[in-house]
Amino acid sequence: MAGYSMQKEDILKRLNRIEGQVRGINRMIEEDRYCIEVLDQVAAVTRALQQVSIGLVHDHLSHCVVDAVAVGGDSATDKIEEATAAIARLVRS
Amino acid sequence: MAGYSMQKEDILKRLNRIEGQVRGINRMIEEDRYCIEVLDQVAAVTRALQQVSIGLVHDHLSHCVVDAVAVGGDSATDKIEEATAAIARLVRS
Amino acid sequence: MAGYSMQKEDILKRLNRIEGQVRGINRMIEEDRYCIEVLDQVAAVTRALQQVSIGLVHDHLSHCVVDAVAVGGDSATDKIEEATAAIARLVRS
Amino acid sequence: MAGYSMQKEDILKRLNRIEGQVRGINRMIEEDRYCIEVLDQVAAVTRALQQVSIGLVHDHLSHCVVDAVAVGGDSATDKIEEATAAIARLVRS
């Protein structure tokens, strides 16, 4: 599996790690750690979430969009419109 | 033309407007306008550029990716990998 | 407490909620939920993390930076440089 | 001038360069250049604008916010609230 493709197991492993990172930030706040350190941890979690998003976009294009294109017609147009809307929300988030 | 689709002419019109906005920010700096006002203009241009990006992603999926999927095989896989990489750069930018 | 200020308790509450949201995304993946729905949940968590970041930036400016400015000299310059670097990482993340 | 500080002249030079880059993207669209190349140019301009924003934030903190803190009271609180709001719009843009 090369490139941006993520297996279900890989996504679950990443999400478990992210959950642990969020718990770690919680602990940093409890212990009154320096704001800048906390901010950097929050930015690290944001980046980790973005990587999961990219994996999901890749899988979506590779499966749902490819299948819809095979069917053709409105089905393909609709899926591409829907995928673009999701990518737009991602870019703005 | 509904949704995220952008005609070439529409993209060119948006880019002309963005060029004018950048020139406007230049003028604001020359006139020592208040930083917060300038910052908001910069954020407005960033958002306008993101909208152009989303239009370009939509057109890319609708044409290049759809055509590659019709051909099938490695051609489709490669185009989807390439599109995902471009979307990843967009999300991170 | 108006505006962007966040009490320690409020930040902890938000982080607990974010942790729950990440666990929810994990469950969505386990249940093979539709990619677009999952993507939107990921974008929601990213936005929730950004709000925490903004609260942390506000507190940092209100306390550490204000205190350093009161001391003056290099201390103030260093703190502002450090705060700007953290904001830059946030904007790019 | 170290770090994130930007002289007025430097900001103007960067904005001139950005204006030229936007004109370059316009030309790429006219010439029907490959979408992925255009997308990467748009991402490059977005990053260049973010760097200008960071310079403006740094200058704002170093001058307006520092001056308001010297005056103290509501003046300082208001300026920090306003700066945070601008940073929040930047992070979300």
Side-chain angles (χ1 to χ4, degrees):
Chain A
M1 275 291 154
Y4 291 94
S5 181
M6 279 187 201
Q7 302 284 51
K8 189 174 167 175
E9 239 172 274
D10 183 22
I11 294 182
L12 290 173
K13 219 185 295 175
R14 284 168 187 265
L15 286 168
N16 282 333
R17 209 180 308 136
I18 289 168
E19 205 192 310
Q21 284 176 295
V22 175
R23 242 189 327 265
I25 297 172
N26 210 308
R27 224 160 18 235
M28 290 174 88
I29 297 284
E30 296 260 26
E31 298 167 357
D32 293 313
R33 289 277 287 283
Y34 187 48
C35 342
I36 300 289
E37 282 178 66
V38 183
L39 266 177
D40 281 349
Q41 274 307 304
V42 176
V45 175
T46 305
R47 275 193 304 275
L49 279 169
Q50 281 175 350
Q51 277 175 330
V52 170
S53 303
I54 298 301
L56 291 169
V57 165
H58 183 270
D59 282 8
H60 186 63
L61 295 178
S62 307
H63 301 120
C64 310
V65 174
V66 163
D67 291 353
V69 171
V71 173
D74 280 358
S75 162
T77 317
D78 290 355
K79 278 290 172 210
I80 286 171
E81 199 71 20
E82 185 193 50
T84 308
I87 293 164
R89 285 190 293 270
L90 211 63
V91 169
R92 276 196 298 264
S93 78
Chain B
M1 274 291 153
Y4 291 95
S5 181
M6 278 185 202
Q7 304 283 52
K8 189 174 167 173
E9 235 171 278
D10 183 22
I11 295 182
L12 291 172
K13 219 186 295 177
R14 284 169 187 263
L15 286 168
N16 282 335
R17 209 179 309 135
I18 289 169
E19 205 190 311
Q21 284 177 295
V22 175
R23 241 190 327 266
I25 297 172
N26 211 310
R27 224 163 16 237
M28 291 174 88
I29 297 284
E30 296 260 27
E31 297 167 0
D32 293 311
R33 289 277 285 282
Y34 187 47
C35 339
I36 300 289
E37 282 178 68
V38 184
L39 266 177
D40 281 349
Q41 273 308 303
V42 176
V45 176
T46 305
R47 275 193 304 275
L49 280 168
Q50 282 175 350
Q51 277 175 330
V52 170
S53 302
I54 298 301
L56 291 168
V57 166
H58 183 270
D59 282 7
H60 186 63
L61 295 177
S62 307
H63 302 119
C64 310
V65 173
V66 164
D67 291 352
V69 169
V71 173
D74 281 359
S75 162
T77 316
D78 289 357
K79 277 293 171 210
I80 286 171
E81 199 71 19
E82 186 192 51
T84 309
I87 293 164
R89 285 190 293 271
L90 209 64
V91 169
R92 275 197 298 265
S93 77
Chain C
M1 274 294 153
Y4 291 95
S5 180
M6 278 186 202
Q7 304 283 52
K8 190 174 166 173
E9 238 173 276
D10 182 23
I11 295 183
L12 291 172
K13 219 186 296 176
R14 283 168 188 264
L15 286 168
N16 282 333
R17 209 179 309 135
I18 288 169
E19 205 191 309
Q21 283 176 296
V22 175
R23 240 190 329 264
I25 297 173
N26 210 308
R27 224 162 17 236
M28 291 174 88
I29 298 284
E30 295 261 26
E31 297 167 359
D32 293 311
R33 290 276 286 281
Y34 186 49
C35 341
I36 300 290
E37 282 177 68
V38 183
L39 266 177
D40 281 349
Q41 273 308 303
V42 175
V45 175
T46 304
R47 273 192 306 274
L49 280 168
Q50 281 176 349
Q51 278 175 329
V52 170
S53 302
I54 298 302
L56 292 168
V57 166
H58 183 269
D59 282 7
H60 186 64
L61 295 178
S62 308
H63 302 120
C64 311
V65 174
V66 164
D67 292 352
V69 170
V71 174
D74 280 358
S75 163
T77 317
D78 289 356
K79 278 292 171 210
I80 286 171
E81 200 70 20
E82 186 192 51
T84 309
I87 293 164
R89 285 191 292 272
L90 210 65
V91 169
R92 275 197 297 265
S93 76
Chain D
M1 274 293 153
Y4 291 95
S5 180
M6 277 186 202
Q7 304 281 55
K8 190 175 166 172
E9 238 172 274
D10 182 22
I11 294 181
L12 290 173
K13 219 186 296 176
R14 283 168 188 265
L15 286 169
N16 282 334
R17 210 178 309 136
I18 288 168
E19 206 190 308
Q21 284 176 295
V22 175
R23 239 188 330 262
I25 297 172
N26 211 309
R27 222 160 21 234
M28 290 174 89
I29 297 284
E30 296 260 26
E31 298 166 359
D32 293 312
R33 290 276 285 281
Y34 187 47
C35 341
I36 300 290
E37 282 177 67
V38 184
L39 266 178
D40 281 349
Q41 274 308 303
V42 176
V45 175
T46 305
R47 273 192 306 275
L49 280 168
Q50 282 176 349
Q51 278 175 330
V52 170
S53 303
I54 298 301
L56 293 168
V57 165
H58 183 269
D59 282 7
H60 186 63
L61 295 178
S62 307
H63 301 120
C64 310
V65 173
V66 164
D67 291 353
V69 170
V71 174
D74 280 359
S75 163
T77 316
D78 289 357
K79 276 291 172 211
I80 286 171
E81 200 71 19
E82 184 192 52
T84 308
I87 293 164
R89 286 190 291 272
L90 210 63
V91 169
R92 275 197 296 266
S93 78

